[in-house]
Amino acid sequence: MPNINEIANYAKENADKLGIKKFDIYGSTVDDTSVQVDKGEPKQVKASNRSGVTVRVWNEDNTMGVTSTTDVDPKGLELALKTAYEASFFGVKENVPDFSPEATIPIPDKPENKTPQAPVAELIEKLLVAEKELLTAHPAIKGVPYNSLAQRDIDRFYLNSDGALRKESHSLASIYLYSKTEEEGKKPRSAGAFRIDHSLDKLDINGCIKETADKTISHLNYEKITSGKYRVVFSPEAFLSLLGAFSNLFNAQSILDKQSLSTPEDIGKQIASPLLSVYDDALHPANIGAESFDGEGTPTRQTSLIENGILKSFLHSAGTAKRLNAQPTGNASIGAKVSVSPNFYHVFTTATPEEQFSLETAENVILIDDVRALHAGVKSLQGSFSLPFDGWLVNKGVKTSIESATIAGDFLELLKSIIYIEKEVELTPAGICPRIWVNELAITGE
């Protein structure tokens, strides 16, 4: 891909030539390499270089057209601008997307923290070692059916005809391991772990191996569980999975489309336990690969969603912010329709709980490590969920794996039933979060 300044010049020249006064362009290049192994042999090597730009053009009547292309030389950009201009005459007449009012606000230039990509042979070698260590961690572990070691370079930019010009680059490396057991007369048990960092040499591969092995081994001696109401402790990943499944709560676009559990009037209402605070914080130091601007060029930031249980704000694009008389929050991605999505959750508590809880002393609580089948078990517009999960029955520090069970409830009631939020946080792909204790939820055993 040509550099950002060249693209800006091509775009300006071609727009002038075509008589286009108002346009913007968002583009990215992703250079990706990933490997998988199986029983001591390389299984799959993937390498890709994907680049593309989205071009939006407004005509004299202020309706907008959109087109996407992977061709960003002068000819390609000219064709994209021309196509978007022609499409603009068929664009929507109401609530037409516009430039973000914050697209030209200066933001600090982030240093390009790209690291050289390691050779594929090194990725395979490290992943083979990880697989071997897992297979030797316990006689019952017979395979690592899902595994991946990947590295990625990302370049992004945004520019518009008002003079906005933003760009950034970063590198990521990640590992995922998921092991499975086989024992005669017993059901297979499995567990996984994930790590991410800026580069392969910083990646905590050993920590990922240990967590995967420990979790898998802890599921070997499983027992059935009696159906009923239990006090439940959600792992950070499990809680953020649920929060993500019901993210329409905070999504201004969903709210305007009447596809949300919230309405604009809910700002300021108590929707959760006073113990719970949730930020969307793209620039949190723990967010590996943090993005400093969104698809509309709006700077990303820390947005308080829930503060001490009170709903404080929604996630906005420039368009939703204008319609709801708010500020854009840097959560937009552009396309034929601008969409809004969370960047990076930060869940914590500032309140002092009336009572402290600990897995070392608690009796008969359910510790949920991972919820599954979110696509099928979540009714996001009703607020209800019924999900199979991996977890343990914990009695005074002793963990007994649960053979098979489902957790069900109402998400808004769950938020109000939080009785304790631990201090220690964990990094997950969706954000950082501590363990969350919920007073009572329905568990159905097999």
Side-chain angles (χ1 to χ4, degrees), residues 85-102:
Y85 180 69
E86 288 166 359
S88 69
F89 293 96
F90 304 94
V92 294
K93 301 279 194 292
E94 291 179 4
N95 301 316
V96 180
D98 204 346
F99 290 166
S100 166
E102 299 188 6

Side-chain angles (χ1 to χ4, degrees), residues 376-396:
V378 166
K379 293 184 176 169
S380 59
L381 298 183
Q382 294 170 20
S384 62
F385 60 91
S386 178
L387 301 165
F389 67 88
D390 293 330
W392 303 268
L393 180 66
V394 185
N395 196 11
K396 295 184 177 175

Side-chain angles (χ1 to χ4, degrees), residues 184-205:
E184 199 171 326
K186 285 193 163 188
K187 290 183 178 179
R189 309 297 280 164
S190 51
F194 172 84
R195 294 288 187 277
I196 186 167
D197 215 314
H198 292 292
S199 61
L200 185 65
D201 58 344
K202 291 180 181 173
L203 195 61
D204 182 16
I205 296 175

Side-chain angles (χ1 to χ4, degrees), residues 311-326:
L311 185 64
K312 299 296 279 187
S313 58
F314 302 134
L315 300 177
H316 284 285
S317 64
T320 63
K322 187 176 180 183
R323 289 171 68 185
L324 290 172
N325 197 24

Side-chain angles (χ1 to χ4, degrees), residues 117-153:
Q117 291 210 355
V120 169
E122 188 180 338
L123 297 183
I124 292 171
E125 185 189 334
K126 285 183 183 293
L127 194 53
L128 285 171
V129 169
E131 183 194 42
K132 188 179 177 182
E133 286 193 29
L134 267 177
L135 291 172
T136 55
H138 194 281
I141 298 176
K142 298 297 186 199
V144 189
Y146 304 110
N147 59 74
S148 172
L149 183 55
Q151 52 189 0
R152 175 179 291 184
D153 286 343

